[in-house]
Amino acid sequence: MNISNYSGDLEKFQKDWKNVECFLEKHQLDGVELICYNEEYLETLPRHILKGLHLKYFPTWLEFYKNNHEKVCEMFGGIEGVRQYYGGIHPETLKEAFRNEYQRAQEFGVEYMVYHVSHVTTEHSFTRAFDYTDDDVLDATVELVNQAFDRNSDVMLLFENLWWPGLTLLDKEKAQRFLARINYKNKGIMLDLSHLMITNPKLKTAGEAAEYIIETIEKLGSLKEWIKGIHVNLSLPGDYLTADHQSEYAEILKTEDQFERYIKTVGHIKKIDWHVPFDHPLVKNIIDLIEPEYVVFELQTQNLQQLDDYINIQNKAIGRL
């Protein structure tokens, strides 16, 4: 299952990794895919439960990487906002961030890393009036990844699909070209089921979503063999996604405090990307079709009881209960 070392996440387990271990054993799970927010609680993290590392994700990064200083300062309310978001003010900061993440993965001894291939600005997350294409994002990602990672590492680097411009997995040729240009030897795809569902706002039920995913995977042909892991979850936000969010974005623009802006934007994204259990038995057909090395329950929950319930629902759906 996914987990972070953010204190709010670990509070479900009284901030004790031993409780996490017991929870994993209870639900017949092999370990965790970790998101590292800071340096807290890492010393006591038992390495044997750590299977994957979800790398840092900057939803908005293309303008910064291309050194569009004026645009980035405008988006983040000045140079200090830029520094706070990226950890620096120069494009090299991104390369350093991923080099550090890669180093952490090596030190942790994880089997795989997950890299989000996407870009979206706050404005476009509301308006969907993108001024960049899949190719813009894919080209820049290839350049950044090839500079930041040691191509001969044993740690698998899995690229995750999203619904914003980037790696959506809706175009086989684009995805194939992208992977072919990545110099990293031990590479593959982490298929996020929710993210694929969100690309089709017409989906209304889990059954329809499962059929859409199976159809999309079959269209990938031999590219399917590159899918080494699956994030199992469900999101069906069609009605919300196709609604007009201009007034909500106008409220964002009125909000001067950058952190408050961030919180409002995250709330908007969570209404799109639900991360609740995929409770339809056809989810097992998806897993059987792909035969991945890793099946990860990536679920968002408020407390331990809800997480416990969600994991049970997910285990039952894929035939483990």
Side-chain angles (χ1 to χ4, degrees), residues 55-115:
L55 305 178
K56 277 184 179 176
Y57 172 47
F58 301 96
T60 304
W61 64 278
L62 208 53
E63 293 85 357
F64 181 68
Y65 183 69
K66 292 180 177 295
N67 209 18
N68 189 339
H69 196 74
E70 184 178 342
K71 179 69 172 177
V72 175
C73 283
E74 178 189 324
M75 288 192 292
F76 291 98
I79 196 67
E80 283 311 308
V82 173
R83 192 191 307 276
Q84 187 176 9
Y85 186 78
Y86 296 106
I89 60 172
H90 301 294
E92 189 68 25
T93 303
L94 286 178
K95 297 172 193 172
E96 286 303 315
F98 287 114
R99 286 185 189 123
N100 291 339
E101 288 282 274
Y102 167 71
Q103 188 61 42
R104 192 193 297 272
Q106 296 281 95
E107 292 168 1
F108 281 166
V110 296
E111 297 173 16
Y112 69 90
M113 303 174 285
V114 180
Y115 189 112

Side-chain angles (χ1 to χ4, degrees), residues 1-2 33 112 114 158-161 169 188-197 213 217 224 226-234 275 278 282-299 314 318:
M1 69 176 186
N2 75 302
E33 179 182 295
Y112 69 90
V114 180
L158 303 181
F159 296 100
E160 181 174 345
N161 60 299
L169 296 180
I189 294 169
M190 175 64 78
L191 172 65
D192 188 292
L193 300 187
S194 275
H195 295 171
L196 192 53
M197 290 175 211
I213 290 168
I217 292 167
K224 174 176 74 73
W226 288 96
I227 303 175
K228 308 298 183 182
I230 304 178
H231 283 164
V232 182
N233 41 46
L234 176 85
H275 284 274
F278 199 150
L282 275 178
V283 69
K284 186 176 186 302
N285 294 41
I286 296 170
I287 295 169
D288 290 345
L289 175 64
I290 295 172
E291 297 182 313
E293 294 180 37
Y294 304 99
V295 176
V296 184
F297 294 172
E298 193 181 57
L299 304 164
Q314 202 64 89
I318 68 172

Side-chain angles (χ1 to χ4, degrees), residues 50-51 59 77 101 104 118 158 172-173 199-200 303 314:
L50 188 51
K51 305 300 180 184
E101 288 282 274
R104 192 193 297 272
S118 180
L158 303 181
K172 180 175 70 173
E173 282 70 30
T199 63
N200 184 353
N303 51 57
Q314 202 64 89

Side-chain angles (χ1 to χ4, degrees), residues 42-259:
L42 295 181
E43 287 185 8
T44 56
L45 171 61
R47 296 297 188 259
H48 69 274
I49 70 167
L50 188 51
K51 305 300 180 184
L53 182 67
H54 200 305
L55 305 178
K56 277 184 179 176
Y57 172 47
F58 301 96
T60 304
W61 64 278
L62 208 53
E63 293 85 357
F64 181 68
Y65 183 69
K66 292 180 177 295
N67 209 18
N68 189 339
H69 196 74
E70 184 178 342
K71 179 69 172 177
V72 175
C73 283
E74 178 189 324
M75 288 192 292
F76 291 98
I79 196 67
E80 283 311 308
V82 173
R83 192 191 307 276
Q84 187 176 9
Y85 186 78
Y86 296 106
I89 60 172
H90 301 294
E92 189 68 25
T93 303
L94 286 178
K95 297 172 193 172
E96 286 303 315
F98 287 114
R99 286 185 189 123
N100 291 339
E101 288 282 274
Y102 167 71
Q103 188 61 42
R104 192 193 297 272
Q106 296 281 95
E107 292 168 1
F108 281 166
V110 296
E111 297 173 16
Y112 69 90
M113 303 174 285
V114 180
Y115 189 112
H116 273 182
V117 185
S118 180
H119 168 79
V120 69
T121 66
T122 298
E123 177 185 354
H124 297 155
S125 75
F126 287 92
T127 66
R128 300 182 65 81
F130 310 115
D131 56 13
Y132 36 85
T133 65
D134 287 341
D135 287 332
D136 291 334
V137 179
L138 294 173
D139 290 347
T141 301
V142 167
E143 190 176 291
L144 179 55
V145 166
N146 285 346
Q147 293 179 64
F149 295 88
D150 175 7
R151 64 176 295 170
N152 294 314
S153 172
D154 291 331
V155 184
M156 196 180 298
L157 179 58
L158 303 181
F159 296 100
E160 181 174 345
N161 60 299
L162 277 92
W163 65 98
W164 309 123
L167 184 67
T168 63
L169 296 180
L170 299 182
D171 188 311
K172 180 175 70 173
E173 282 70 30
K174 285 183 181 179
Q176 283 177 327
R177 283 199 304 271
F178 169 73
L179 282 175
R181 293 163 61 205
I182 293 288
N183 290 336
Y184 197 91
K185 187 169 61 176
N186 197 8
K187 61 194 172 185
I189 294 169
M190 175 64 78
L191 172 65
D192 188 292
L193 300 187
S194 275
H195 295 171
L196 192 53
M197 290 175 211
I198 297 167
T199 63
N200 184 353
K202 295 179 181 178
L203 301 175
K204 301 295 183 185
T205 68
E208 289 176 3
E211 290 172 0
Y212 172 69
I213 290 168
I214 289 169
E215 179 184 326
T216 304
I217 292 167
E218 287 175 340
K219 285 180 181 176
L220 293 177
S222 60
L223 188 67
K224 174 176 74 73
E225 306 305 319
W226 288 96
I227 303 175
K228 308 298 183 182
I230 304 178
H231 283 164
V232 182
N233 41 46
L234 176 85
S235 299
L236 295 169
D239 291 341
Y240 181 80
L241 197 64
T242 54
D244 188 335
H245 298 290
Q246 293 284 358
S247 60
E248 292 164 78
Y249 181 58
E251 284 299 313
I252 294 278
L253 291 178
K254 292 177 187 175
T255 306
E256 293 185 9
D257 183 87
Q258 288 296 315
F259 184 70

Side-chain angles (χ1 to χ4, degrees), residues 259-277:
F259 184 70
E260 193 178 338
R261 276 191 178 201
Y262 169 76
I263 294 299
K264 287 181 178 179
T265 305
V266 167
H268 166 64
I269 301 301
K270 284 184 176 180
K271 290 177 183 176
I272 299 172
D273 195 10
W274 299 355
H275 284 274
V276 298

